């Protein structure tokens, strides 16, 4: 993480401000990034009295590879692991089986099944094509639940003047970091969308594709998104539909939801193997008929 990120963050336990504690040996210079410097608090100089822009020139050009972020209010420390701050409650992650299962499943998914490169249309393209407007606007945006970072990469590379905070609870964050390593306007954070470690009224937009319905508390996630969004700023959410008005779709969806009670408790590698075995059945029974029937117009 870069020093520039510090002023955007806050403690997920008490909302207090954070300070970096890192050895000089864990700092590494990055070749570009001077166009983004600290604004109201400098995490490198630990001051709200802003140093000259020359003093802050390196704040977005220095990668903190390891160390800690310490809350000035409650004293809690968060680890910086391989350049990514883990702004999560690690004790809760280990004790809560449901949460640890979610982290394990998506870590497996986004590291072992991450799309190899930007190929074809991204989810971002689909959203922008449907709405007819750009998702990215303003100076700072949040990709909440960014998976393996395909959309973060698209947003940041197409809008180099906007800083993108890319947040995910899974180890997919390391795939995001690998993909966006050359982009000075990306900050990768490992955290939950249910406890977003960003200051309130920070983001000019929030984008979250297919995330909230996978959490244990979608309403809380929405409240968090609203909290970090500037007043009047847009949020772009993609959520599953419940199809309650269409029993032909609602019933299979209920079956799938019931099945997920089992699959979400399975070992991720065992689940992957089961998916490979079952995928021909799913294609034959669901995908192909849906494609064929989609060609007819029902009246
Ligand atoms: Zn600074
Ligand atoms: Zn705190």
């Amino acid at each position: 993480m870069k020093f520039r990120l510090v002023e955007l963050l806050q403690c997920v336990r008490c909302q207090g401000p954070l300070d970096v504690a890192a050895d000089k040996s864990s700092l590494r210079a990055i070749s570009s990034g001077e166009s983004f410097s600290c604004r109201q608090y400098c995490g490198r100089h630990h001051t709200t009295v802003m140093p000259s822009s020359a003093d802050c020139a390196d704040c977005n050009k220095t990668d903190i590879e390891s160390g800690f972020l310490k809350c000035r209010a409650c004293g809690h420390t968060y680890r910086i692991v391989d350049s990514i701050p883990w702004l999560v409650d690690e004790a809760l992650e280990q004790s809560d089986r449901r949460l640890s299962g979610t982290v394990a499943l998506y870590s497996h998914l986004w590291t072992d099944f991450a799309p190899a490169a930007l190929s074809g249309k991204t989810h971002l393209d689909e959203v922008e094509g449907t709405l007819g407007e750009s998702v990215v606007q303003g100076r700072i945006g949040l990709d909440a639940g960014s998976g393996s970072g395909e959309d973060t990469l698209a947003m940041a590379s197409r809008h180099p003047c906007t800083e993108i905070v890319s947040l995910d609870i899974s180890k997919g964050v390391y795939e995001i970091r690998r993909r966006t390593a050359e982009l000075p306007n990306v900050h990768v954070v490992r955290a939950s969308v249910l406890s977003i470690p960003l200051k309130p009224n920070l983001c000019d937009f929030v984008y979250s594709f297919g995330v909230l319905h996978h959490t244990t508390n979608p309403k809380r996630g929405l409240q968090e998104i609203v909290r970090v969004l500037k007043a009047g700023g847009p949020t772009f959410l993609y959520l599953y539909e419940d199809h309650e008005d269409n029993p032909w779709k609602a019933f299979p969806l209920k079956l799938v939801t019931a099945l997920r009670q089992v699959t979400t408790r399975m070992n991720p590698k065992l689940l992957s193997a089961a998916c490979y075995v079952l995928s021909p059945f799913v294609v034959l029974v669901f995908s192909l008929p849906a494609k064929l029937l989609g060609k007819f117009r029902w009246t």
Side-chain angles (χ1 to χ4, degrees):
M1 65 167 280
K2 299 156 209 148
F3 282 106
R4 159 75 189 121
L5 175 61
V6 176
E7 75 165 310
L8 311 184
L9 299 175
Q10 67 175 24
C11 175
V12 293
R13 287 193 166 188
C14 76
Q15 290 79 52
L18 300 173
D19 273 327
V20 173
D23 287 339
K24 275 195 173 166
S25 60
S26 66
L27 307 182
R28 185 177 60 87
I30 305 173
S31 57
S32 67
E34 61 278 0
S35 49
F36 302 100
S37 64
C38 313
R39 294 201 179 105
Q40 292 170 339
Y41 177 76
C42 177
R44 188 184 188 104
H45 297 92
H46 303 280
T47 178
T48 50
V49 179
M50 295 311 293
S52 72
S53 56
D55 288 333
C56 268
D58 287 342
C59 289
N60 201 54
K61 290 177 67 180
T62 307
D63 183 31
I64 308 160
E65 293 183 322
S66 64
F68 296 92
L69 283 163
K70 184 170 184 182
C71 175
R72 261 185 278 153
C74 74
H76 189 73
T77 55
Y78 301 89
R79 292 194 292 153
I80 301 167
V81 183
D82 292 334
S83 303
I84 295 180
W86 286 22
L87 289 153
V88 292
D89 189 332
E90 291 193 58
L92 182 67
E93 268 192 354
Q94 283 167 7
S95 61
D96 184 327
R97 270 193 64 194
R98 204 167 166 195
L99 180 59
S100 61
T102 302
V103 173
L105 179 64
Y106 283 98
S107 295
H108 176 62
L109 185 67
W110 296 128
T111 49
D112 294 349
F113 293 96
L118 269 185
S119 53
K121 273 191 169 184
T122 61
H123 289 143
L124 180 72
D125 292 325
E126 289 176 21
V127 171
E128 292 188 331
T130 302
L131 298 178
E133 64 176 295
S134 173
V135 163
V136 180
Q137 41 200 284
R139 295 201 301 201
I140 299 177
L142 169 65
D143 186 358
S146 45
S148 60
E150 203 173 27
D151 286 332
T152 293
L153 176 60
M155 284 190 245
S157 55
R158 294 173 194 171
H159 300 271
C161 295
T162 302
E163 287 176 277
I164 307 292
V165 178
S166 187
L167 176 150
D168 203 89
I169 188 78
S170 79
K171 306 282 173 63
V173 287
Y174 290 98
E175 180 65 18
I176 305 171
R177 179 174 163 256
R178 188 187 66 75
R179 288 178 155 186
T180 60
E182 304 302 317
L183 297 173
N185 56 332
V186 175
H187 303 288
V188 186
V189 175
R190 189 166 99 75
S192 168
V193 71
L194 303 184
S195 296
I196 299 175
L198 295 179
K199 289 182 175 162
N201 305 310
L202 177 80
C203 300
D204 293 291
F205 74 93
V206 176
Y207 170 85
S208 183
F209 191 97
V211 178
L212 290 183
H213 48 245
H214 290 306
T215 67
T216 52
N217 192 342
K219 188 178 172 187
R220 164 91 184 266
L222 189 58
Q223 287 168 337
E224 278 292 90
I225 284 172
V226 170
R227 181 183 63 78
V228 301
L229 193 63
K230 281 180 186 166
T235 179
F236 301 89
L237 306 176
Y238 172 88
L239 299 166
Y240 287 164
E241 193 176 344
D242 61 12
H243 293 296
E244 282 208 342
D245 55 341
N246 183 340
W248 291 99
K249 289 183 177 175
F251 179 67
L253 193 63
K254 278 191 176 142
L255 275 182
V256 170
T257 303
L259 190 63
R260 281 177 55 79
Q261 297 299 315
V262 178
T263 57
T264 52
R265 286 172 170 76
M266 286 171 69
N267 175 291
K269 290 197 170 160
L270 184 64
L271 181 60
S272 295
C275 288
Y276 274 114
V277 173
L278 289 173
S279 56
F281 169 78
V282 172
V283 169
L284 278 175
V285 176
F286 295 105
S287 305
L288 283 179
K291 260 191 177 173
L292 285 172
L293 292 172
K295 292 182 188 299
F296 295 97
R297 192 186 178 95
W298 302 92
T299 55

